[in-house]
Amino acid sequence: MSNIREYKKLWELLIFDKRFNGVPKEKQMEISSFAHVSAEKLKDLDAGEGDVRLISTGQFNGYTTEELAGAHLNTGEIITIPTGGVANIKYYNGKFVDSGNIIGVARSKDIKLKFVYYYLLFNREQLNSFFRGASIKHPYMPDICEMLVPLYSINEQDNIITQLGLSQCIIEKQKAQLKELDTLAESIFYDMFGDIVTNENGWDVSRLEEDCEVSSAKRVLVEDVVDDGIPFIRGTELTALNKSISSKDVRFTMFITAEHYERLKAITGVPKIGDILIPSINSDGITWIVDTDSPFYFKDGRVIWVHVNFNVYNSWYLKYTISKMLQTNYKTLTSGATFLELKLFIIRDLLIPIPPLQLQQQFAEKIEAIEHQKTLIKKSIEETQKLFDYTMDKYFG
């Protein structure tokens, strides 16, 4: 934009807490200093509350107290770049304990650190391309330090930060609302059915296979996958479907032809609305209730199909029950040398309590009302995210 004052390289804007191989010494005349702990130690410090932020390289974010942080306590306004994995950059200002990050601070008062953070966030794809390695990738700092950052006046930087920060704050609050609604749903489930894993209410119990057929798909070979056609679902897509407003909002990347789909459908049948699909690698207890009659097929071995018997179970009750059992007993229910995986016979043998169908349906009505509220919030998040992305593109695109 016309009011860009100049471009500067990242090393001209930030002072890092490490010297990097391949970066000339004259570009790192100053080095900042921060304490770091191991990932295990970081999680051990998590107190669930406190004013000291625990900053990891991944998604874990906890809090602790100054007393627990002890000699590991840091204070300051920082940007963090993970030393391994992907470019999960973070911004923080305050007291913190760090694990596994490269930490950058502003080199002068002419640059707002949060402005640089937003620029790097906008260019995360480029930042990711500078992570190298065969297995675990690491940031190649000679390239990262040369990234060009557009600079505006201090007032304009503040204006950009305010605009982006407002959208980000709204999104964070809306995501917190979604978590509260999920907690409410869990509470309703417990209030109505008790501890379903131990069946504390003493409902009649039946093996899942006795009331519902539990099966998988016919194998689809790699050469059968095409660029367009009928969606082909794996565990990855199931996770996205479980989080989405509806299946219409999920972008599929693998397909089979309509002719192949019809052949498979004739052999195995296909899931119908209300059936449940379960990823085989699934420590989080992910279960998706089919919400569409649009054609799709799924991967054998990686997806388990529960043909719900609506005379015995309501889909929402069965979804929550299976999820609870997987979350609670995943390690004892699974097998595998390299990763823990659910097998068909495990799901077939699940002992499912059977409350009165009317009670299950009452639960479903409450959950559907909550899901409606979640849908409205998710749509609002999407709109706010569009505004956030537009603003980012306006100043950094």
Side-chain angles (χ1 to χ4, degrees), residues 13 20 27 53 59 108 145 160-161 186 195 212 258 271 283 304 317 329-330 348 358 361-362 368 385 388:
L13 304 176
F20 309 119
K27 295 181 179 181
R53 174 80 172 269
Q59 299 303 315
S108 72
C145 285
I160 294 168
I161 291 169
E186 295 285 344
D195 185 341
C212 303
S283 60
I304 298 170
Y317 164 75
N329 298 315
Y330 189 70
R348 287 169 175 161
Q358 183 179 3
Q361 290 167 341
Q362 289 172 3
E368 284 167 359
Q385 185 66 50
F388 181 83

Side-chain angles (χ1 to χ4, degrees), residues 149-339:
V149 181
L151 288 189
Y152 296 83
S153 69
I154 286 292
N155 288 340
E156 191 64 18
Q157 288 181 53
D158 281 332
N159 178 46
I160 294 168
I161 291 169
T162 299
Q163 290 182 56
L164 292 172
L166 179 60
S167 296
Q168 211 171 31
C169 182
I170 292 171
I171 291 171
E172 288 172 359
K173 287 182 178 179
Q174 290 171 327
K175 287 182 176 179
Q177 289 177 328
L178 290 177
K179 289 183 179 180
E180 289 171 2
L181 287 172
D182 285 337
T183 300
L184 174 61
E186 295 285 344
S187 176
I188 291 172
F189 183 79
Y190 183 82
D191 288 344
M192 295 184 72
F193 304 110
D195 185 341
I196 208 68
V197 177
T198 62
N199 190 22
E200 68 176 356
N201 286 336
W203 312 110
D204 290 340
V205 173
S206 176
R207 286 176 62 248
L208 184 58
E209 189 183 35
E210 292 178 13
D211 299 303
C212 303
E213 182 184 350
V214 181
S215 64
S216 189
K218 186 171 175 59
R219 176 159 295 183
V220 173
L221 303 176
V222 173
E223 53 266 31
D224 294 325
V225 176
V226 295
D227 293 333
D228 194 18
I230 304 300
F232 181 64
I233 292 175
R234 305 159 296 168
T236 302
E237 287 78 17
L238 273 184
T239 300
L241 286 164
N242 185 60
K243 294 179 179 179
S244 68
I245 295 173
S246 79
S247 55
K248 297 177 182 178
D249 301 306
V250 174
R251 181 176 175 270
F252 299 105
T253 58
M254 299 184 72
F255 305 88
I256 58 175
T257 65
E259 294 77 13
H260 193 188
Y261 168 78
E262 291 298 334
R263 290 195 297 270
L264 295 169
K265 179 180 177 181
I267 297 170
T268 64
V270 291
K272 61 183 182 295
I273 292 176
D275 283 349
I276 294 174
L277 297 183
I278 306 168
S280 63
I281 303 173
N282 191 4
S283 60
D284 294 327
I286 294 168
T287 52
W288 177 58
I289 298 176
V290 177
D291 66 356
T292 179
D293 54 11
S294 298
F296 70 87
Y297 204 66
F298 58 96
K299 185 174 177 60
D300 69 300
R302 289 287 187 259
V303 178
I304 298 170
W305 172 16
V306 179
H307 310 234
V308 178
N309 180 347
F310 302 119
N311 292 320
V312 180
Y313 299 111
N314 178 279
S315 298
W316 280 109
Y317 164 75
L318 193 56
K319 169 187 170 68
Y320 271 74
T321 297
I322 293 174
S323 294
K324 283 288 184 186
M325 291 182 170
L326 296 185
Q327 291 167 357
T328 304
N329 298 315
Y330 189 70
K331 288 186 178 180
T332 60
L333 291 173
T334 51
S335 61
T338 55
F339 49 81

Side-chain angles (χ1 to χ4, degrees), residues 366-384:
K366 296 177 186 293
I367 296 304
E368 284 167 359
I370 289 174
E371 288 297 313
H372 176 68
Q373 290 299 314
K374 288 173 64 177
T375 296
L376 296 177
I377 293 170
K378 286 178 180 179
K379 286 181 178 178
S380 180
I381 289 174
E382 287 180 358
E383 292 304 312
T384 309

Side-chain angles (χ1 to χ4, degrees), residues 49-107:
E49 58 183 5
D51 62 351
V52 179
R53 174 80 172 269
L54 302 178
I55 303 178
S56 69
T57 58
Q59 299 303 315
F60 169 78
N61 283 311
Y63 285 88
T64 192
T65 64
E66 289 188 47
E67 183 179 3
L68 289 173
H72 310 299
L73 180 68
N74 300 296
T75 302
E77 184 182 15
I78 61 166
I79 288 175
T80 65
I81 301 173
T83 52
V86 296
N88 183 28
I89 59 168
K90 298 178 183 179
Y91 166 89
Y92 189 68
N93 187 7
K95 300 170 185 175
F96 67 93
V97 177
D98 178 79
S99 173
N101 288 293
I102 295 166
I103 297 178
V105 299
R107 188 176 288 275

Side-chain angles (χ1 to χ4, degrees), residues 3-6 8 13 111 115 149-153 157:
N3 55 347
I4 294 177
R5 187 174 58 186
E6 60 182 320
K8 283 197 173 184
L13 304 176
I111 183 69
F115 171 84
V149 181
L151 288 189
Y152 296 83
S153 69
Q157 288 181 53

